[in-house]
Amino acid sequence: MSFTPEPVRRPREQVEKQLRDAIVSSSFKGGDRLPSEAELAREFQVSRSTVREALRVLVSEGLISKVPGAGGGSFVQSVDHDSLKSLLSGSLETILKFGKISIDEVNAVRRMLEVPAAREAAEHRTDAQAAELERLVQRQDEMARAVTDRRDPALYELGQSIYSLVAEASGNRLLASFVSAMAGVTIPVYMRDLPLEDAEAAREGTRALVAAIVARDAEGAEAAMTAQLDMVQRHLSPAG
């Protein structure tokens, strides 16, 4: 694919836009290596530092990754709902660490998305998804009986898988990406702060949610998800 300079745009913007368009249009596909910085600079008629700035933006957007070394370079990432989930998770985690948003704000958005998602999951889940939800809950119960620390990270990784699958069962991949990203940020904090005596109550809530989805009980699924998020809010809110 050839590139041409666009004088109406700033040099970095023209590089960034044309590369982004080429990736989105699949002129460059997932796994493809982009031309070198020197080649791009020559083709766009800009400096290598300008190309480097444009590539840095595309890395931050999750469109490409940089691999160092002799066999490295800039490689196109797969652009789908899974890559969006990874990008959102990383961004949310960074923003939370810097205190730009609060955990309460994340929980509020989780409530806006996950309560409707639970209802949608009960209405649209497939038999395979129902079976996998039941398997995950059973695995979580077995692990809870086997471990000495009820806050074992593996238990909450299973919990995250369950809630991500609930969102996936809603049938909306974009919704599932947002839910998985926020659960990935919230659950580790919840795991750290959850009192031991409440760990079983949290798992009981998960069992109730899955049972409602399996039974195609939309109202029950909505109520169970609301109760779970209420528990999260009590333990993570500064006032809780």
Side-chain angles (χ1 to χ4, degrees):
M1 178 174 181
S2 61
F3 299 101
T4 57
E6 296 182 353
V8 295
R9 293 180 179 273
R10 288 166 44 185
R12 179 189 61 77
E13 290 176 340
Q14 64 168 296
V15 177
E16 181 186 321
K17 178 184 182 300
Q18 289 193 58
L19 287 175
R20 184 186 294 108
D21 288 348
I23 293 169
V24 171
S25 68
S26 295
S27 295
F28 287 117
K29 296 179 173 59
D32 285 352
R33 177 162 44 187
L34 295 181
S36 69
E37 290 181 2
E39 291 175 293
L40 290 172
R42 185 167 56 253
E43 198 160 353
F44 281 107
Q45 300 176 26
V46 297
S47 67
R48 288 186 63 172
S49 63
T50 296
V51 169
R52 199 169 296 122
E53 289 174 15
L55 294 176
R56 193 175 298 122
V57 172
L58 298 180
V59 168
S60 71
E61 293 177 351
L63 293 174
I64 65 171
S65 61
K66 300 279 285 184
V67 177
S74 300
F75 292 86
V76 177
Q77 299 282 79
S78 296
V79 182
D80 55 18
H81 61 288
D82 287 325
S83 59
L84 173 62
K85 176 178 67 178
S86 299
L87 179 60
L88 287 170
S89 293
S91 299
L92 272 174
E93 188 173 6
T94 299
I95 293 171
L96 274 170
K97 283 180 179 177
F98 280 100
K100 300 300 183 182
I101 59 174
S102 69
I103 197 70
D104 277 349
E105 289 173 296
V106 174
N107 284 338
V109 176
R110 284 191 67 185
R111 192 178 298 271
M112 294 174 197
L113 297 179
E114 293 187 56
V115 173
R119 171 177 284 276
E120 291 291 310
E123 294 175 346
H124 301 296
R125 59 84 177 161
T126 65
D127 291 343
Q129 288 167 332
E132 179 64 7
L133 283 169
E134 291 183 312
R135 187 192 71 79
L136 289 172
V137 167
Q138 181 179 358
R139 176 61 182 146
Q140 192 176 52
D141 288 342
E142 291 170 352
M143 187 176 292
R145 290 192 293 268
V147 299
T148 55
D149 184 357
R150 292 302 177 90
R151 290 178 295 186
D152 189 299
L155 282 171
Y156 290 88
E157 288 175 9
L158 272 174
Q160 184 177 341
S161 296
I162 291 169
Y163 284 88
S164 294
L165 182 53
V166 168
E168 182 182 324
S170 73
N172 187 313
R173 290 176 295 178
L174 183 59
L175 175 61
S177 295
F178 277 96
V179 168
S180 295
M182 287 187 291
V185 170
T186 308
I187 286 178
V189 181
Y190 183 42
M191 175 192 71
R192 183 194 65 209
D193 295 342
L194 182 67
L196 289 174
E197 60 271 19
D198 289 339
E200 178 55 31
R203 285 190 290 278
E204 285 179 4
T206 299
R207 286 193 290 271
L209 172 64
V210 168
I213 291 171
V214 171
R216 297 193 185 277
D217 177 2
E219 290 187 4
E222 190 174 81
M225 182 64 83
T226 299
Q228 286 293 83
L229 292 174
D230 285 345
M231 184 180 294
V232 173
Q233 185 68 30
R234 285 196 301 274
H235 289 300
L236 294 186
S237 173

